[in-house]
Amino acid sequence: MPLSGKKDKMLKELIDKFYLDRQKDREQHHFYITDAGKCSRVIFFKFKKAPREEMEARVLRMFDHGDYIHRLILNTLFSLGIVRSSEINIPPQEIISGRADAIITLNNELYVIDIKSMNSMVFKNLNQPKEDNINQLQLYLHFFKIQKGILLYVNKDNQELKEFLIEYDPKRCKSLLVELSYVKTKIDSNTIPQRIPSWPNDWQCQYCQFKEICSLTGSGEINWENFKKKIESFS
Ligand code: SF4
């Protein structure tokens, strides 16, 4: 028998609340691999717990769904007997933390595997790997000292797969790490970094949870404490 409209709503609210509460607990104290190559301001604002637009519970559930798909693919890799390690943290060092999906052996060579899931529309138009996914995988290759990786994309709607081979690029890794060190100096000195030059049309700006305060901040560097006082006086 279907649930009455009232009970249905109660359960949805409970599930939504679970996801929204979990989101609130998140606090950032160090860089994640997913920060590499991203807008410096976003990283700065995350560290400073600046006011952000809350993500919808629906979107947070989609992230969970993505994790579930990753586990399904990992199960298959395990069944093939090619997994050397799975969900493996990068070796501890000062700047960044991250966890690769798997390290596998193919034709007697080691590969770092990073699995990404997306909807049919994005999947259909994907003719080359996404830049931010390459950045992440490059840093995994760097920290694991492995020369090759595979970005494996999964279509969430019909389980189709696409794969792209990525070779280690030390220059790119160096520049990503230099960029993160630069953001660290801004965090330590309480200086909001400049906006990215492609604001507001950049894809990062379209999905940015900080776009409201970013538009109040202006384009150049400014002092975070002074700006915080200003926005607190508005609220
Ligand atoms: S709106 Fe764009 S420039 Fe501003 S913080 Fe977000 S991503 Fe960066």
Side-chain angles (χ1 to χ4, degrees), residues 39-42 45 194-196 199-200 202 204-206 208-212 214-215:
C39 168
S40 307
R41 264 196 183 181
V42 168
F45 285 144
Q194 290 182 345
R195 267 190 201 137
I196 48 177
W199 177 89
D202 195 280
Q204 294 186 73
C205 303
Q206 314 286 317
C208 180
Q209 291 179 279
F210 299 103
K211 57 180 166 227
E212 195 179 334
C214 180
S215 67

Side-chain angles (χ1 to χ4, degrees), residues 15-232:
I15 296 171
D16 281 357
K17 189 171 175 311
F18 168 82
Y19 276 91
L20 294 171
D21 287 351
R22 203 170 60 168
Q23 172 184 220
K24 279 192 194 107
D25 291 335
R26 288 209 178 145
E27 205 173 302
Q28 184 157 351
H29 298 289
H30 52 260
F31 295 123
Y32 294 117
I33 285 246
T34 44
D35 291 326
K38 295 267 172 69
C39 168
S40 307
R41 264 196 183 181
V42 168
I43 306 170
F44 179 94
F45 285 144
K46 279 199 293 174
F47 268 77
K48 299 294 178 185
K49 290 186 78 184
R52 61 164 97 180
E53 199 181 304
E54 214 172 55
M55 249 185 229
E56 284 176 57
R58 177 188 64 81
V59 176
L60 297 166
R61 280 198 288 279
M62 277 166 57
F63 290 150
D64 257 7
H65 184 221
D67 288 345
Y68 177 67
I69 290 174
H70 292 189
R71 283 199 290 277
L72 283 181
I73 299 278
L74 275 180
N75 284 347
T76 309
L77 300 183
F78 272 112
S79 302
L80 288 168
I82 57 176
V83 177
R84 295 296 153 254
S85 295
S86 69
E87 303 194 316
I88 170 172
N89 289 323
I90 56 172
Q93 30 66 55
E94 283 195 351
I95 189 105
I96 196 163
S97 71
R99 195 165 55 178
D101 287 328
I103 296 176
I104 63 163
T105 310
L106 263 185
N107 305 321
N108 295 321
E109 283 190 286
L110 285 177
Y111 289 81
V112 178
I113 304 298
D114 205 19
I115 305 163
K116 303 285 175 199
S117 51
M118 51 188 48
N119 65 34
S120 288
M121 181 101 97
V122 182
F123 187 87
K124 204 174 115 205
N125 296 319
L126 188 84
N127 300 316
Q128 53 187 30
K130 293 180 166 196
E131 283 301 307
D132 55 325
N133 299 157
I134 298 176
N135 288 340
Q136 269 184 54
L137 185 51
Q138 282 293 349
L139 288 182
Y140 287 136
L141 297 177
H142 179 80
F143 286 112
F144 288 124
K145 299 188 177 15
I146 291 177
Q147 293 303 310
K148 291 180 186 173
I150 295 175
L151 274 170
L152 184 67
Y153 290 97
V154 189
N155 182 332
K156 284 199 253 203
D157 303 324
N158 64 10
Q159 302 303 310
E160 247 183 284
L161 300 175
K162 280 183 189 170
E163 65 182 322
F164 297 94
L165 176 68
I166 307 290
E167 306 230 358
Y168 176 49
D169 177 351
K171 258 194 188 160
R172 183 166 182 145
C173 290
K174 190 171 175 216
S175 119
L176 289 168
L177 293 171
V178 166
E179 179 68 23
L180 286 176
S181 303
Y182 160 82
V183 182
K184 185 164 186 324
T185 63
K186 300 293 162 195
I187 292 167
D188 292 345
S189 65
N190 265 334
T191 309
I192 304 177
Q194 290 182 345
R195 267 190 201 137
I196 48 177
S198 46
W199 177 89
N201 298 320
D202 195 280
W203 69 269
Q204 294 186 73
C205 303
Q206 314 286 317
Y207 297 102
C208 180
Q209 291 179 279
F210 299 103
K211 57 180 166 227
E212 195 179 334
I213 62 162
C214 180
S215 67
L216 295 173
T217 317
S219 60
E221 291 189 347
I222 63 161
N223 179 274
W224 164 243
E225 289 300 333
N226 293 344
F227 175 71
K228 202 165 71 168
K229 276 184 206 134
K230 210 163 103 185
I231 50 172
E232 277 166 0

